């Protein structure tokens, strides 16, 4: 192609609250979605892909060099650490060069290993493959597992006989989440998604039956999604209905012949809670009395009668709990850093001591009702992923596996610190940064952000990131409001009417990196995906002078259009996060003021790479496609504007560990090309590390 594809404009005007909105690229939405068959739409998406491939062609050598580096840092025959569950130990492994895992087990204490699931075999005939939830029955004889072969996140659910190896008829074509076995190993609870991709029902399937199973619970509120889990002591199946701020839980006796859900406490707007069970006692994590949550207990027979066990705290943000037979494990965050509290049921407690000042840590798989030794995951910006066993009695950490980097990795070559940026309203925002000690700072910096749904971005290790660090980049993560990095209030401070704090925090983080000598204005690349793509769109519109390159993965950029469309699967559940512009004029005006698609202007934009998935049910493909069309229409300057749509994948891009790395290599090549396009003036007073 000799010129970038230009999408025609076709008038499409909607009106809300007396305000007209012109969405002239609305035609790029196929009305038959999730099927996309419109020839004109497919032709335009294909033209964008061809434009991307044309740009990429001169950079293929760089892509391949980067890909070989990234692949070379992945252990080809990697193996997981075995996890004990009853009479068996379970683990996974990759065959050399394998894209997908093989799942195995062996009798605890030694014995012949058995392949229980072969992902490479299941994926062999598919362009895309993803294993969803899986669960072994209590008697150890049956495996329920779910697979997605097109990225639509509608998982087909199967049951396999682990004694004979036989795979039965699919239970359902439209499941999601992890299924849960009843105590008799003959019945299976699973979650059903509807035509709008909303998890809304829990069904109980009887193994060997050809029907979907009886409906155990159905959620009638279109703004709530249903989730399914199992208590740590395995006595209860837990059904949880929730949007982003309000939750409600029900319990089912896993051994009962008649599975009647017992409501824990009715939903109350703004109250989020989750539960676990140990030895007949219900343990509750809830934010009903404190924004950072508390822990309460209740008898199983009267689950709504909560008695406070651990009060909420301004400094300790309680993020999760697991109720084991002899102790509680409470995952929390203290002053923005992960912490794990062990509390015995007699009241004694302590925190696990970790070896670094800044890190990320949490519980890994601990399936047994009691775990005197806990499996943990741990890393930092300079410490590779580490699996620890923590002996509660002796309070010792024993490393079971440290992520191997086959190309070699010397942690002493790298350094990390946490900066504090001052946002527009005076709030201090943490920024984690890592760099290579023998590289001059200031010429190249990459800044990553997300800032939504209360999801913190941990200061963890990335082997792929080394390809940027070794080329002179400092790499930073902005822990902006909208995530819960500094507590639940940090999340509340970046949502709904406070959404602009997220964007202002990110700009402040970039400016703090400049002030600290890690970056130069106009010499910062930045990336984010999904809701982080909203962030990318906003800062590209409002501060294009800061960025050398912007990478927006499956970006949620038509915020106003999506929040105005209640027929989309995620819209009703998203209103508590973004606002409801259909009913609320103030919400309409607030979203319209920042929605990236609605605020593209005639100005020079930095180099931009945008990705999409044709089958994406979360951020539908037309959002980034429309946004790029408007950027092509209005943007000035000659920086490249590229878009790549995965035609056989969804929200997460391509599947397979090496296919995903190839896309990372393309992203890094794009960033490097943007920096190589013209020289960057580095401040003379930059500080040597």
């Amino acid at each position: 192609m000799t010129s970038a594809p230009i999408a025609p404009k076709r008038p499409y005007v909607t009106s809300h609250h007396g305000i007209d909105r012109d969405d002239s690229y609305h035609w790029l939405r196929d009305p038959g979605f999730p099927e996309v068959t419109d020839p004109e739409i497919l032709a335009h998406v294909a033209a964008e892909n061809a434009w991307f491939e044309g740009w990429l062609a001169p950079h293929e050598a760089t892509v391949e060099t980067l890909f070989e580096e990234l692949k070379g840092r992945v252990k080809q025959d990697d193996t997981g650490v075995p996890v004990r569950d009853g009479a068996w130990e379970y683990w996974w492994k990759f065959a050399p060069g394998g894209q997908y895992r093989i799942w195995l087990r062996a009798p605890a204490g030694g014995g012949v290993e058995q392949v229980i699931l072969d992902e490479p075999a299941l994926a062999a005939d598919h362009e895309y493959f993803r294993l969803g939830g899986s669960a072994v029955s209590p008697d150890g004889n049956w495996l329920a597992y779910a697979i997605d072969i097109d990225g639509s996140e509608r998982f087909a659910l199967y049951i396999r006989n682990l004694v004979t190896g036989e795979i039965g008829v699919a239970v359902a074509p439209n499941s999601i989440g992890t299924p849960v076995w009843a105590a008799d190993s003959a019945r299976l609870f699973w979650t059903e998604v509807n035509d709008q991709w909303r998890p809304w029902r829990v069904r109980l399937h009887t193994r060997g039956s050809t029907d979907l199973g009886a409906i155990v619970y159905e959620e009638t509120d279109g703004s709530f999604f249903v989730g399914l889990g199992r208590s740590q002591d395995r006595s209860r199946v837990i059904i949880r209905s929730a949007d982003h701020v309000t939750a409600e839980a029900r319990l089912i006796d896993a051994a009962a012949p008649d599975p009647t859900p017992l409501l824990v406490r009715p939903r109350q707007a703004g109250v989020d809670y989750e539960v676990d069970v140990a030895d007949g006692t219900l343990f509750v994590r809830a934010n009903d009395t404190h924004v950072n949550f508390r822990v309460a207990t209740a008898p199983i027979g009267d689950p709504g009668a909560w008695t406070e066990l651990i009060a909420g705290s301004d400094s300790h943000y309680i993020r999760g709990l697991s109720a084991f037979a002899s102790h509680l494990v409470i995952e929390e965050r203290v002053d923005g850093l992960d912490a794990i509290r062990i509390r015995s049921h007699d009241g004694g407690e302590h925190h696990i001591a970790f070896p670094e000042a800044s890190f990320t840590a949490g519980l890994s798989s601990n399936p047994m009702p009691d775990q005197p030794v806990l499996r943990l995951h741990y890393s930092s910006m300079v410490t590779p992923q580490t699996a620890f066993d923590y002996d509660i009695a002796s309070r010792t950490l024993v490393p079971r596996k440290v992520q191997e980097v086959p190309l070699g990795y010397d942690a002493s070559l790298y350094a990390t610190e946490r900066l504090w940026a001052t946002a527009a309203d005076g709030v201090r925002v943490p920024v984690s940064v890592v760099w290579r000690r023998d590289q001059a700072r200031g010429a190249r910096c990459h800044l990553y952000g997300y800032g939504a749904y209360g999801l913190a971005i941990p200061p963890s290790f990335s082997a792929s990131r080394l390809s940027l660090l070794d080329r002179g980049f400092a790499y930073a993560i902005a822990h902006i409001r909208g995530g819960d990095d500094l507590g639940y209030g940090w999340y509340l401070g970046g949502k709904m009417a406070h959404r602009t704090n997220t964007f202002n925090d990110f700009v402040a983080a970039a400016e703090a990196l400049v002030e600290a000598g890690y970056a130069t204005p106009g010499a910062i690349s930045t990336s984010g995906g999904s809701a982080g793509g909203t962030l990318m769109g906003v800062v590209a519109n409002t501060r294009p002078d800061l960025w050398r390159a912007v990478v927006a993965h499956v970006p949620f950029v038509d915020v106003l259009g999506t929040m105005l469309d209640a027929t989309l699967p995620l819209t009703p559940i998203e209103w508590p996060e973004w606002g409801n512009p259909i009913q609320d004029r103030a919400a309409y005006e607030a979203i319209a003021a920042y929605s990236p698609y609605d605020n593209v202007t005639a100005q020079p934009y930095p180099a931009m790479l945008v990705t999409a998935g044709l089958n994406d049910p979360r951020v539908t493909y037309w959002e980034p496609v429309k946004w790029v069309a408007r950027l092509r229409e209005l943007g000035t300057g000659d920086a490249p504007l590229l878009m790549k749509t995965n035609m056989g994948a969804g929200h997460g891009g391509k599947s397979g560990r090496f296919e995903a790395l190839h896309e990372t290599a393309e992203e890094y090549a794009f960033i490097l090309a943007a920096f190589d396009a013209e020289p960057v003036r580095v401040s003379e007073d930059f500080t040597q590390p």
Side-chain angles (χ1 to χ4, degrees), residues 327-328 340-344 346-355 371-374 376 388-399:
H327 54 271
L328 281 181
I340 300 176
R341 187 192 319 195
I342 312 295
R343 180 186 174 96
S344 66
D346 62 12
E349 65 176 40
H350 69 275
H351 282 85
I352 297 177
F354 290 105
Q371 294 268 172
V373 177
L374 295 171
L376 310 176
F388 279 118
D389 277 351
Y390 180 70
D391 187 298
I392 295 174
S394 65
R395 302 189 183 184
T396 55
L397 282 169
V398 178

Side-chain angles (χ1 to χ4, degrees), residues 11 21 102 145 199 274 290 310 364 378-379 404 514 550 623:
R21 178 180 188 249
I102 299 168
Y145 67 95
E274 60 184 2
H290 196 285
I310 301 173
S364 292
Y378 175 93
S379 78
E404 184 179 335
V514 171
V550 174
E623 289 205 33

Side-chain angles (χ1 to χ4, degrees), residues 33-120:
F33 186 81
E35 297 293 326
V36 184
T37 58
D38 185 289
E40 188 176 10
I41 294 172
L42 289 172
H44 179 73
V45 172
E48 285 285 6
N49 280 349
W51 183 247
F52 169 75
E53 292 296 333
W55 178 91
L56 192 65
H59 304 281
E60 282 291 355
T62 302
V63 173
E64 288 308 308
T65 297
L66 288 163
F67 177 59
E68 290 303 320
E69 282 182 21
L70 300 176
K71 190 168 66 170
R73 296 194 187 101
V74 176
K75 185 173 171 56
Q76 293 280 320
D77 55 348
D78 202 6
T79 302
V81 183
V83 174
R84 173 78 178 267
D85 188 1
W88 299 88
E89 287 189 330
Y90 295 85
W91 71 99
W92 52 262
K93 71 176 182 181
F94 282 103
Q99 296 268 27
Y100 302 97
R101 288 179 171 89
I102 299 168
W103 297 83
L104 306 102
R105 72 176 182 180
V112 178
E113 71 178 39
Q114 172 190 6
V115 174
I116 61 172
L117 197 66
D118 187 336
E119 286 189 48

Side-chain angles (χ1 to χ4, degrees), residues 292-317:
N292 277 340
F293 291 79
R294 65 169 176 152
V295 177
T297 61
I300 285 290
D302 190 8
W306 297 353
T307 299
E308 185 165 278
L309 181 68
I310 301 173
S313 165
D314 292 340
S315 60
H316 287 238
Y317 168 41

